[in-house]
């Protein structure tokens, strides 16, 4: 199974929310990483067939998804940023309702709903009204409804919003367990959501793909490295003015500064391991801070 995006474009008046994107997606976890406004949600709305592109195609195994219609939607699971739910329903009734909309056989739905509520740690509150739930619990219901039809393509838009660290961890483990035979596209601006589980990461900015590949490939492709230097407060102030600083800590009358640049900023600087967060910061802060020396 493969999902090919070919010259995909979406325009609003004179704005290109998605700008001539071409990429191939295969089973595994694909992290769609970009700051708010990068075009991630617009891209997702086209991938879920909720919005038609201005130009280009989306092909599932060489077939246009907009011509497949229900055949495509039947293998699709989708969690939008704000999913609709009925606050006076309980999780059991809500998922039964969603199962009926998705035309899932009752016998299949019963087992599937029970399994998902247990995985999402919601079985004990299955008869409690959703309006009494915390934001994290509601988000878990949203994830459950996206998985209800055992989709082959799972699209999640900012799925960890409202989840606490333990819930985020469980969610990442769940995705990892599902990824062998599914295309799982996870859109986020939170690096930690995808850094250790994504097989492929697509880095977006202003509607374009800046780069894609594994974490290691993105790090190698980025023309900067991380450096640490311990310096006096005067020099530290100069570094902060014209360098891409990722962190700094005071130590007595010195500061330990970590920065991103192509070459060693000082003979005393020592190299540090580069991370996906460094890559993300480089592309986004470079755009905002044109004065920095790289």
């Amino acid at each position: 199974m493969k999902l090919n995006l070919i010259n995909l474009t979406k325009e609003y008046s004179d704005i290109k929310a998605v700008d001539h994107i071409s990429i191939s997606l295969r089973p595994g976890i694909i992290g769609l990483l970009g700051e708010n406004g990068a075009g991630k949600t617009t891209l997702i709305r086209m991938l879920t067939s909720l919005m038609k592109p201005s130009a280009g195609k989306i092909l599932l195994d060489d077939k246009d998804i907009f011509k497949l219609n229900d055949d495509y939607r039947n293998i699709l699971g989708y969690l939008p940023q704000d999913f609709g739910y009925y606050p006076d329903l309980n999780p059991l009734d809500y998922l039964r309702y969603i199962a009926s909309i998705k035309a899932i056989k009752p016998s299949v739905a019963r087992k599937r709903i029970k399994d998902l509520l247990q995985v999402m740690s919601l079985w004990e509150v299955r008869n409690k009204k959703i309006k009494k739930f915390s934001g994290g619990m509601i988000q878990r219901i949203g994830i459950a409804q996206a998985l209800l039809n055992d989709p082959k393509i799972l699209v999640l838009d900012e799925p960890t919003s409202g989840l606490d660290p333990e819930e985020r961890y469980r969610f990442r483990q769940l995705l990892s367990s599902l990824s062998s035979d599914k295309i799982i596209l996870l859109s986020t601006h939170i690096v930690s959501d995808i850094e250790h589980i994504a097989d492929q990461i697509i880095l977006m900015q202003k509607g374009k793909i800046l780069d894609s590949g594994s974490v290691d490939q993105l790090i190698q492709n980025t023309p900067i490295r991380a450096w640490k230097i311990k310096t006096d407060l005067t020099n530290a102030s100069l570094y902060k003015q014209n360098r891409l600083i990722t962190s700094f800590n005071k130590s007595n009358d010195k500061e330990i500064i970590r920065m991103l640049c192509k070459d060693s900023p000082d003979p005393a600087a020592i190299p540090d391991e580069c991370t996906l967060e460094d890559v993300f910061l480089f592309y986004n802060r470079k755009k905002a801070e044109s004065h920095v020396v790289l």
Side-chain angles (χ1 to χ4, degrees), residues 224-231 235 238-240 242-245 257-272 293-294:
I224 48 91
R225 291 295 173 260
W227 304 86
K228 278 187 175 181
I229 184 170
K230 189 173 185 179
T231 186
N235 283 333
L238 292 174
Y239 281 128
K240 291 174 188 177
N242 58 19
R243 293 288 184 175
L244 199 55
I245 306 299
I257 295 179
R258 186 179 184 276
M259 67 185 77
L260 304 178
C261 46
K262 293 177 183 177
D263 302 308
S264 174
D266 187 277
I270 57 173
D272 194 34
V293 177
L294 297 174

Side-chain angles (χ1 to χ4, degrees), residues 166-223:
E166 180 62 27
E167 289 171 328
R168 284 173 186 264
Y169 170 76
R170 286 204 306 266
F171 174 65
R172 291 195 294 266
Q173 295 300 107
L174 173 64
L175 289 189
S176 295
S177 70
L178 296 171
S179 63
S180 61
D181 63 345
K182 300 181 192 295
I183 294 173
I184 300 176
L185 184 69
L186 194 164
S187 169
T188 185
H189 63 280
I190 302 171
V191 173
S192 60
D193 281 350
I194 56 173
E195 186 167 19
H196 301 296
I197 64 168
D199 302 290
Q200 178 185 4
I201 291 170
I202 301 170
L203 190 61
M204 280 192 73
Q205 188 183 89
K206 289 186 175 180
K208 294 179 179 289
I209 293 178
L210 295 178
D211 201 357
S212 68
S214 67
V215 172
D216 288 343
Q217 287 169 334
L218 289 181
I219 290 171
Q220 290 302 315
N221 293 345
T222 305

Side-chain angles (χ1 to χ4, degrees), residues 32-33 53 158 187 203 223 228 232 234:
L32 184 60
L33 182 62
E158 303 285 353
S187 169
L203 190 61
K228 278 187 175 181
D232 61 60
T234 301

Side-chain angles (χ1 to χ4, degrees), residues 19-208:
D19 191 358
H20 297 90
I21 282 180
S22 295
I23 197 164
S24 182
L25 309 179
R26 296 179 180 273
I29 299 175
I30 300 117
L32 184 60
L33 182 62
E35 61 183 354
N36 293 329
K40 304 189 302 297
T41 296
T42 300
L43 177 59
I44 278 175
R45 289 180 66 81
M46 289 189 284
L47 282 169
T48 53
S49 75
L50 293 172
M51 176 188 292
K52 288 193 174 183
S54 304
K57 294 181 179 180
I58 304 172
L59 304 179
L60 175 63
D61 294 333
D62 300 321
K63 296 178 182 178
D64 192 309
I65 67 167
F66 292 97
K67 292 179 180 178
L68 288 170
N69 290 322
D70 287 344
D71 287 339
Y72 178 68
R73 282 186 277 272
N74 286 340
I75 63 166
L76 180 71
Y78 174 43
L79 175 64
Q81 284 189 36
D82 299 302
F83 76 97
Y85 64 92
Y86 298 92
D88 285 321
L89 291 182
N90 60 48
L92 206 55
D93 289 337
Y94 172 72
L95 291 178
R96 285 170 180 163
Y97 169 68
I98 297 298
S100 68
I101 291 176
K102 294 186 176 184
I104 302 171
K105 291 180 180 179
S107 58
V108 175
R110 279 194 297 272
K111 183 178 187 308
R112 188 74 180 153
I113 289 169
K114 182 177 181 180
D115 289 345
L116 285 169
L117 288 176
Q118 288 177 335
V119 167
M120 296 296 165
S121 300
L122 292 168
W123 181 248
E124 298 301 320
V125 293
R126 63 190 180 278
N127 294 312
K128 185 177 178 180
K129 288 185 178 181
I130 297 174
K131 66 182 179 184
K132 297 181 179 179
F133 286 4
S134 67
M137 293 170 74
I138 292 171
Q139 193 71 354
R140 280 184 269 153
I141 294 173
I143 295 166
Q145 66 80 29
L147 291 167
L148 199 52
N149 59 329
D150 192 20
K152 291 297 182 184
I153 299 170
L154 180 61
V155 181
L156 306 164
D157 195 358
E158 303 285 353
T160 61
S161 174
L163 301 186
D164 63 33
E166 180 62 27
E167 289 171 328
R168 284 173 186 264
Y169 170 76
R170 286 204 306 266
F171 174 65
R172 291 195 294 266
Q173 295 300 107
L174 173 64
L175 289 189
S176 295
S177 70
L178 296 171
S179 63
S180 61
D181 63 345
K182 300 181 192 295
I183 294 173
I184 300 176
L185 184 69
L186 194 164
S187 169
T188 185
H189 63 280
I190 302 171
V191 173
S192 60
D193 281 350
I194 56 173
E195 186 167 19
H196 301 296
I197 64 168
D199 302 290
Q200 178 185 4
I201 291 170
I202 301 170
L203 190 61
M204 280 192 73
Q205 188 183 89
K206 289 186 175 180
K208 294 179 179 289

